[in-house]
Amino acid sequence: MSSTELPETRTAAAPSASRPARAVRVADGEELRSVSLPGLTLTVRARPGVEPGLPPALYVHGLGGSSQNWSALMPLLADLVDGEAVDLPGFGDSAPPDDGNYSVTGHARAVIRLLDSTGRGPVHLFGNSLGGAVATRVAAARPDLVRTLTLVSPALPELRAQRTAWPTVLLAVPGVASVFARLTKDWTAEQRVRGVLSLCYGDPGRVTDEGLRHAVEEMERRLELPYFWDVMARSSRGIVDAYTLGGQHGLWRQAERVLAPTLLVYGGRDQLVSYRMARKAAATFRGSRLLTLPEAGHVAMMEYPETVAQAARGLIADHGGS
């Protein structure tokens, strides 16, 4: 699965027919660029290390998220790693892939192609939710690209999904996304954001007024994208399909093959990935470390970035931090 493709790098700012006109937010200290590969264009949000020569890190977001999901965590590790967060195909500011492949394997292949083309591996790899499943596949398939692995509420198969996770499953059913889009066409961006926060945060009250405003602006931007609902539906279907795969392609079987030192982070109030899966994950990823946060929800790196950063620092320091 290696690649010899060379990326074309440019500033990701100017709108075009294939890119939204509304600008994507870039926090102080971040840099945004676009990497073009055959059939694939990915936006990368960089948080350069505080000094040259720091080992690279790559952050992979979850379903419906973007590279902005890591903006709170990345600066807390900038003295240890040179960080980059990718917008998966069709999410954030990345265009849909030419092949329309939104499976977990398709997303993993995009991450591998990015790392191969830029030559940044091996990296300290981080993944949340869908990004956790993607990162698990990458680590299993290409151990040469992964130095350490940090998974925050990874989307790994559960025998009994929580009821609050059923909407993700329903979204994967053909036609449901378009019906939902019609039924909710009068919802404001703020109503949608508050709904997402109540589902993803253990305590939505932790979100500041400024954070809410930025989230609403990003939601408004995404709703203008003609492919928004299609990407959500196809990626949801990709998660469901990955859950049903057996044999060597099953996510738990691949988790057993991961060689990289692993940190697992689970939230006690997670409504999408069950807290009870923490024990199974810790037993599956060999020699892994487990951080449980009873008050956290599905996005601990956004809810408790300092605590997650402290645990990640320990992992990185012990396994090739410099």
Side-chain angles (χ1 to χ4, degrees), residues 5-21:
E5 299 157 337
L6 296 177
E8 173 191 346
T9 302
R10 61 182 185 277
T11 301
S16 66
S18 62
R19 300 180 68 81

Side-chain angles (χ1 to χ4, degrees), residues 5 46 50 55 165 170 201 210-211 224 236 243 269 277 282 291 301:
E5 299 157 337
V50 297
L170 290 175
Y201 273 65
E210 181 182 30
E224 294 174 355
S236 297
Y243 275 31
R269 295 185 177 181
M277 301 305 294
L291 171 64
M301 75 286 186

Side-chain angles (χ1 to χ4, degrees), residues 13-258:
S16 66
S18 62
R19 300 180 68 81
R22 193 178 295 216
V24 174
R25 180 177 175 272
V26 183
D28 291 342
E30 294 180 347
E31 302 170 359
L32 207 64
R33 76 174 193 277
S34 184
V35 177
S36 293
L37 301 166
L40 185 67
T41 300
L42 298 172
T43 294
V44 175
R45 181 179 304 268
R47 169 70 70 166
V50 297
E51 61 184 45
L54 292 178
L58 183 67
Y59 303 82
V60 187
H61 64 81
L63 180 69
S66 75
S67 57
Q68 294 185 59
N69 292 167
W70 300 99
S71 289
L73 183 66
M74 286 198 292
L76 302 178
L77 298 175
D79 64 320
L80 218 62
V81 298
D82 183 66
E84 290 189 348
V86 62
D87 285 333
L88 290 173
F91 290 99
D93 201 39
S94 288
D98 287 358
D99 63 5
N101 187 347
Y102 297 101
S103 66
V104 171
T105 298
H107 286 311
R109 187 175 296 119
V111 170
I112 289 171
R113 291 180 63 194
L114 173 67
L115 290 174
D116 276 338
S117 66
T118 57
R120 279 176 59 86
V123 298
H124 295 287
L125 185 60
F126 292 71
N128 169 235
S129 191
L130 164 64
V134 170
T136 297
R137 254 197 220 295
V138 171
R142 291 291 303 277
D144 59 304
L145 293 178
V146 182
R147 189 174 299 192
T148 67
L149 182 64
T150 297
L151 304 177
V152 181
S153 296
L156 300 175
E158 300 182 37
L159 291 178
R160 295 173 313 202
Q162 300 178 97
R163 289 185 179 181
T164 44
W166 290 358
T168 300
V169 177
L170 290 175
L171 195 60
V173 178
V176 169
S178 59
V179 171
F180 184 75
R182 289 196 300 271
L183 292 175
T184 62
K185 62 182 177 62
D186 295 327
W187 289 14
T188 66
E190 182 172 340
Q191 286 175 314
R192 295 175 189 273
V193 167
R194 290 190 181 277
V196 171
L197 293 178
S198 66
L199 185 63
C200 291
Y201 273 65
D203 177 11
R206 295 184 64 87
V207 180
T208 64
D209 291 342
E210 181 182 30
L212 177 62
R213 185 176 72 253
H214 291 156
V216 170
E217 291 171 353
E218 174 64 11
M219 179 62 74
E220 290 172 342
R221 186 191 70 82
R222 293 190 193 186
L223 290 172
E224 294 174 355
L225 301 174
Y227 52 81
F228 173 79
W229 287 109
D230 183 60
V231 172
M232 287 291 292
R234 289 174 181 263
S235 291
S236 297
R237 201 169 303 145
I239 295 175
V240 173
D241 288 346
Y243 275 31
T244 62
L245 284 176
Q248 63 178 346
H249 299 295
L251 283 169
W252 285 113
R253 181 67 64 85
Q254 296 203 323
E256 294 175 346
R257 293 167 48 194
V258 171

